[in-house]
Amino acid sequence: MNMNMSARIEAVYHLETADDPEQTAALIAGEQSSGTFVAIPGEDEALKARAAARYEITALDQASRSDAKCYELKLSWPLENLGPSLPNLMATIAGNLYELKPVRSLRLMDMTLPPAFAQAYPGPAFGIAGTRALTGVQHRPLIGTIIKPSVGLSPQDTADIVAQLCEAGVDFIKDDELQADGPACPFDERVTLSMAVINRHAERSGKKVMYAFNLTGEIDEMKRRHDLVQQLGGTAVMLSLNSVGMAGFNAFRRHAQLPIHAHRNGWGYVQAGWSYTAWQKLWRLAGVDHMHVNGIANKFQEDDDSVITSARACMTPMFADKPCTIMPVFSSGQTVRQAAPTWERLQSTDLIFLAGGGLFAHPGGIAAGVSALRQSWSAAIEGLPLDVAAKTHRELREALEKFK
Amino acid sequence: MNMNMSARIEAVYHLETADDPEQTAALIAGEQSSGTFVAIPGEDEALKARAAARYEITALDQASRSDAKCYELKLSWPLENLGPSLPNLMATIAGNLYELKPVRSLRLMDMTLPPAFAQAYPGPAFGIAGTRALTGVQHRPLIGTIIKPSVGLSPQDTADIVAQLCEAGVDFIKDDELQADGPACPFDERVTLSMAVINRHAERSGKKVMYAFNLTGEIDEMKRRHDLVQQLGGTAVMLSLNSVGMAGFNAFRRHAQLPIHAHRNGWGYVQAGWSYTAWQKLWRLAGVDHMHVNGIANKFQEDDDSVITSARACMTPMFADKPCTIMPVFSSGQTVRQAAPTWERLQSTDLIFLAGGGLFAHPGGIAAGVSALRQSWSAAIEGLPLDVAAKTHRELREALEKFK
């Protein structure tokens, strides 16, 4: 590999401190490179010139939640310190620094990686175009769902629901992140029964529904489960990023030959130190194809601006010759009501739109639930108000009555 | 494997909410098992009886930081939902729940796992007794250090410092978490040169210094690096838990034949959702031998009570027939001043005491730094005040002058 090791890794943080900003920035830069809490004999000028992190700190015109002040802190490191290694990048950009005494709060907002990282990691194998090719869906979002109830269904129960979803014209199905390979719903049996349904439907209709089976587990298990899905004609797998972790993901990615649908559960604590914009870059470079970004008017705490920022981040190229753009996945409390605002704010259909309860709880059943979601997206793209579209579409009308 | 699948996984949380506590608890339990934001047709009583999480919520007599109130929330799940899988456990006990709207703050405080987990995972291979046997250190802590400056040294620079540390009588050395396999200090060369020094010293003195080489990286790299360390006679390896992640760690652990020294960098954000008591159980069961717990009067934000609670947690058996007890690692701004308070509060010597700056910055050099730390621990165990011991120990006296 031909690498420019004098290239630098750059990271931008939001810092709150009540201490001297210059000293705090120097302390953080030292902790994350050649310094420590006292001067060390070996840390001479030559060593610092080649290995020390550099910093820049700027006051932000922004109120702190405490008596601290807000700053933007930029740090950079020579690539030579660590090489293009994602696991080691994490210890450098998101390691001990959060805990330093003068730090009231610190969040990694963004990062820029030298091209050596693009050479060292594969990025998404399918991304937007590959996912569209496998599903045959163009010019609109993939409309999908999460098997619900999340847990408690047997493999046969699951396959029965899959049959209804296929009939109803769904594009995409995923397991809940709580459903992987528990004794109550073993992975192999769930996949075998569900793929039989999906394959039969594909033979009949020409449409192969993409089911992202949750194969989260140990690496050997994940590889074996992936191979089973592939062997049975499946077109996607899913895993929980925070459960698997970076080294495990990378090992799996090198094995995988199917799109990888990435769930972000655990984000609730990860976000204390990472913005989604910074965090998703790691995983896109590592090679996920779809990434959850929450959804407009979701059941969680996150506001809509933040959700849209996350979705745009997934669609923003990372490197000139390796964009690593992927499909953002909108999920969490999604119903027919979120199609129009999602479209209006994103102005793109390169996304997966998932409704679990918002589909299964449709008063007309699963088929009506899928139809209503399709109708809501058609109306959104055509610029037709929901209540107007509802006049000529019964399923959409019923959904609007159910999901206020 | 003979498993009782009706056994339950139990987790205890600290919850802050301004909403109705009973409804909030039910919402969280639902989100983490069979429920979602609306009632789902398939979620009937029989399904709930076999798959739903159960909850108990109790008001805590504790002030909230906001207009919310504090509660202890207990959740439990049937093992049958997920089976004894640590990656899937994470999505269940520490997944989406943090982000639910009525949750102001939520932290996983502790958990109890059914014995099936003890059967499914190896736990530490060396732990306290194995580490003592390999180092020959009994009845006192292992006194060790982190190579400093953390980054910027060449492999030869590192080996030269290792030579001084061996001469000085140190028990344990580790790489900084920032130093793994960067082009400026390649792993193989650092290990080869350092092990030559350690082996020569062992042949001469009979004492083999334990050096935990930081092999953090991709799984294949970690396995290969482990094998090199073992082949060269090394007795430990180190990795950063949050960089490697759970599935990667488990794959490495099944390969490893040396003690695993676990660094917790990134803890600054992980702690938003996890208490150390809950978090360290995952990793002990997975099989770490040493775990960082910060240190008394450290350079970070954590207070001493919290540090001691963490250390005691590492020493508390997890299962009756599989205790998984390990050596806590005290590190961060440690000097001769922390020996006595650590001993007084912990009343145990089954620990690793690491001083980086607190050793290298000794005015008499590295040898004097090691001697002073040994002297401080001898004095602590004998119950001798530091200033009294300093009268007869020059290195300790100089250290006390340097580290105020």
Side-chain angles (χ1 to χ4, degrees):
Chain A
M1 227 178 292
N2 176 20
M3 285 179 201
N4 173 12
M5 285 300 165
S6 65
R8 297 183 78 82
I9 295 159
E10 297 173 342
V12 182
Y13 301 85
H14 184 111
L15 165 71
E16 295 188 38
T17 182
D19 289 69
D20 178 75
E22 194 69 21
Q23 281 174 24
T24 303
L27 179 77
I28 296 171
E31 175 68 24
Q32 293 310 111
S33 62
S34 59
T36 186
F37 72 104
V38 296
I40 294 291
E43 196 193 5
D44 58 25
E45 290 308 315
L47 184 141
K48 279 199 264 191
R50 67 175 182 270
R54 296 181 197 150
Y55 64 88
E56 254 182 76
I57 187 161
T58 320
L60 288 175
D61 186 19
Q62 198 170 323
S64 158
R65 289 161 300 176
S66 63
D67 60 333
K69 291 205 171 72
C70 296
Y71 301 91
E72 182 182 85
L73 171 66
K74 288 186 184 170
L75 295 181
S76 76
W77 296 262
L79 178 59
E80 212 188 26
N81 280 17
L82 58 151
S85 162
L86 286 178
N88 288 299
L89 178 71
M90 290 177 78
T92 295
I93 64 173
N96 272 348
L97 69 178
Y98 299 103
E99 299 175 63
L100 288 164
K101 273 219 168 74
V103 171
R104 285 292 173 80
S105 83
L106 186 70
R107 196 170 188 226
L108 175 57
M109 301 306 288
D110 203 354
M111 60 186 172
T112 310
L113 302 176
F117 276 91
Q119 293 173 259
Y121 287 92
F126 292 85
I128 298 164
T131 300
R132 290 204 178 280
L134 282 170
T135 54
V137 176
Q138 304 292 344
H139 314 301
R140 64 172 179 80
L142 272 64
I143 304 288
T145 191
I146 308 112
I147 298 285
K148 297 274 174 187
S150 306
V151 288
L153 299 174
S154 70
Q156 188 60 58
D157 295 338
T158 307
D160 291 347
I161 292 175
V162 170
Q164 293 180 65
L165 287 164
C166 288
E167 280 309 309
V170 85
D171 305 313
F172 183 96
I173 304 172
K174 67 176 272 292
D175 287 323
D176 194 89
E177 77 277 7
L178 301 171
Q179 187 70 275
D181 187 39
C185 190
F187 185 88
D188 291 3
E189 206 183 332
R190 183 169 78 252
V191 173
T192 303
L193 294 174
S194 299
M195 282 313 303
V197 168
I198 287 170
N199 289 330
R200 268 200 309 275
H201 179 261
E203 279 159 30
R204 233 176 17 236
S205 69
K207 181 180 172 72
K208 181 164 262 187
V209 175
M210 180 177 272
Y211 188 152
F213 293 102
N214 178 18
L215 50 63
T216 301
E218 306 304 342
I219 293 166
D220 291 350
E221 293 171 343
M222 293 197 294
K223 289 181 179 174
R224 197 191 52 68
R225 290 175 193 154
H226 165 278
D227 294 350
L228 178 68
V229 172
Q230 188 181 29
Q231 181 195 318
L232 294 173
T235 53
V237 293
M238 164 184 152
L239 49 74
S240 293
L241 295 175
N242 295 310
S243 302
V244 171
M246 183 53 76
F249 180 85
N250 293 338
F252 175 72
R253 171 65 183 84
R254 279 192 287 274
H255 177 85
Q257 297 185 285
L258 296 172
I260 302 174
H261 185 90
H263 203 285
R264 73 175 201 181
N265 65 83
W267 174 246
Y269 60 89
V270 174
Q271 67 174 345
W274 298 75
S275 78
Y276 190 83
T277 299
W279 191 71
Q280 53 95 39
K281 283 188 175 173
L282 291 181
W283 298 107
R284 282 166 56 196
L285 181 57
V288 308
D289 295 286
H290 313 150
M291 244 177 113
H292 280 238
V293 297
N294 208 343
I296 295 285
N298 59 73
K299 66 185 171 185
F300 297 126
Q301 299 146 0
E302 191 176 6
D303 66 31
D304 294 348
D305 286 353
S306 172
V307 172
I308 294 298
T309 300
S310 297
R312 289 213 182 104
C314 292
M315 298 166 157
T316 305
M318 277 186 71
F319 301 95
D321 53 355
K322 190 162 190 162
C324 298
T325 44
I326 59 165
M327 271 195 165
V329 181
F330 287 74
S331 185
S332 164
Q334 302 295 285
T335 71
V336 292
R337 294 196 178 272
Q338 278 92 334
T342 304
W343 163 252
E344 277 159 27
R345 296 208 52 177
L346 205 64
Q347 292 292 315
S348 170
T349 58
D350 287 337
L351 61 96
I352 302 177
F353 187 82
L354 298 183
L359 186 157
F360 283 95
H362 191 288
I366 290 175
V370 174
S371 297
L373 288 163
R374 290 278 290 268
Q375 291 159 8
S376 74
W377 267 97
S378 296
I381 294 168
E382 289 164 26
L384 209 61
L386 267 189
D387 55 348
V388 176
K391 283 182 187 155
T392 50
H393 294 92
R394 185 175 52 83
E395 296 87 350
L396 180 56
R397 196 161 60 241
E398 289 170 356
L400 286 171
E401 279 157 26
K402 171 74 184 177
F403 305 108
K404 301 279 184 192
Chain B
M1 226 180 292
N2 177 19
M3 286 179 198
N4 173 10
M5 287 297 164
S6 64
R8 295 183 79 81
I9 295 158
E10 296 173 343
V12 182
Y13 301 85
H14 183 112
L15 165 71
E16 295 189 37
T17 182
D19 289 70
D20 178 78
E22 195 70 20
Q23 281 175 22
T24 302
L27 178 77
I28 296 172
E31 175 67 25
Q32 293 309 111
S33 62
S34 58
T36 186
F37 73 106
V38 295
I40 294 290
E43 197 193 3
D44 59 25
E45 290 308 315
L47 185 141
K48 281 199 263 192
R50 65 176 182 270
R54 295 180 196 149
Y55 64 88
E56 256 182 75
I57 187 160
T58 321
L60 288 176
D61 186 17
Q62 198 169 322
S64 158
R65 290 160 300 175
S66 63
D67 59 333
K69 291 206 172 72
C70 296
Y71 301 91
E72 183 182 86
L73 170 66
K74 287 187 185 169
L75 295 181
S76 76
W77 296 262
L79 178 59
E80 211 187 28
N81 281 15
L82 58 151
S85 163
L86 286 178
N88 287 300
L89 179 70
M90 290 177 78
T92 296
I93 64 173
N96 273 345
L97 69 178
Y98 299 103
E99 299 175 62
L100 288 164
K101 272 219 168 72
V103 171
R104 286 291 175 80
S105 83
L106 186 70
R107 197 169 189 226
L108 175 57
M109 302 305 290
D110 203 355
M111 59 185 173
T112 310
L113 302 176
F117 275 91
Q119 292 174 260
Y121 287 92
F126 292 85
I128 298 164
T131 300
R132 289 203 177 283
L134 281 172
T135 53
V137 176
Q138 304 291 344
H139 314 302
R140 62 172 180 81
L142 270 63
I143 304 289
T145 192
I146 309 112
I147 298 286
K148 296 276 174 188
S150 306
V151 288
L153 299 174
S154 70
Q156 188 59 58
D157 295 338
T158 307
D160 292 346
I161 292 176
V162 169
Q164 293 181 63
L165 287 164
C166 287
E167 280 309 308
V170 84
D171 304 315
F172 184 95
I173 303 173
K174 67 177 270 293
D175 287 322
D176 193 88
E177 77 277 9
L178 301 171
Q179 188 69 276
D181 187 37
C185 191
F187 185 88
D188 291 4
E189 206 184 333
R190 182 169 79 253
V191 172
T192 304
L193 294 175
S194 298
M195 282 313 303
V197 168
I198 287 171
N199 288 331
R200 269 200 308 274
H201 180 260
E203 278 159 28
R204 233 173 20 235
S205 70
K207 180 179 174 73
K208 181 165 261 187
V209 174
M210 179 176 274
Y211 188 154
F213 293 101
N214 178 19
L215 49 63
T216 301
E218 306 303 344
I219 293 167
D220 291 350
E221 293 172 342
M222 294 197 294
K223 288 181 179 173
R224 197 191 52 69
R225 291 175 192 154
H226 165 278
D227 294 351
L228 178 68
V229 172
Q230 188 181 27
Q231 183 195 319
L232 294 174
T235 53
V237 294
M238 164 183 153
L239 49 75
S240 292
L241 295 174
N242 294 312
S243 302
V244 172
M246 182 52 77
F249 181 85
N250 293 338
F252 176 73
R253 172 64 182 84
R254 277 190 289 273
H255 177 86
Q257 296 186 288
L258 296 172
I260 302 174
H261 186 90
H263 203 283
R264 74 176 198 180
N265 65 81
W267 174 245
Y269 60 89
V270 174
Q271 67 173 344
W274 297 76
S275 78
Y276 191 84
T277 299
W279 192 72
Q280 53 94 40
K281 282 187 176 174
L282 291 182
W283 298 108
R284 283 165 56 194
L285 181 56
V288 308
D289 296 285
H290 313 151
M291 243 177 114
H292 280 239
V293 296
N294 207 343
I296 294 286
N298 59 74
K299 65 184 171 186
F300 297 125
Q301 298 145 0
E302 189 175 6
D303 66 31
D304 294 348
D305 284 354
S306 172
V307 172
I308 294 298
T309 300
S310 297
R312 288 211 182 106
C314 293
M315 298 165 156
T316 305
M318 276 187 71
F319 301 96
D321 51 358
K322 190 163 190 159
C324 298
T325 44
I326 59 165
M327 271 196 166
V329 181
F330 286 74
S331 186
S332 163
Q334 302 296 285
T335 71
V336 292
R337 294 198 178 270
Q338 278 92 332
T342 304
W343 163 252
E344 276 159 28
R345 296 207 53 177
L346 205 65
Q347 292 291 314
S348 169
T349 59
D350 288 338
L351 61 98
I352 302 177
F353 187 82
L354 298 183
L359 185 155
F360 283 95
H362 191 288
I366 291 176
V370 174
S371 298
L373 288 162
R374 290 279 288 270
Q375 291 158 7
S376 74
W377 268 97
S378 295
I381 295 168
E382 287 164 26
L384 209 60
L386 267 190
D387 55 346
V388 176
K391 284 182 188 153
T392 50
H393 294 92
R394 184 175 53 83
E395 295 88 350
L396 181 55
R397 196 161 61 240
E398 288 169 356
L400 286 171
E401 279 156 28
K402 170 74 185 175
F403 304 108
K404 301 279 184 193

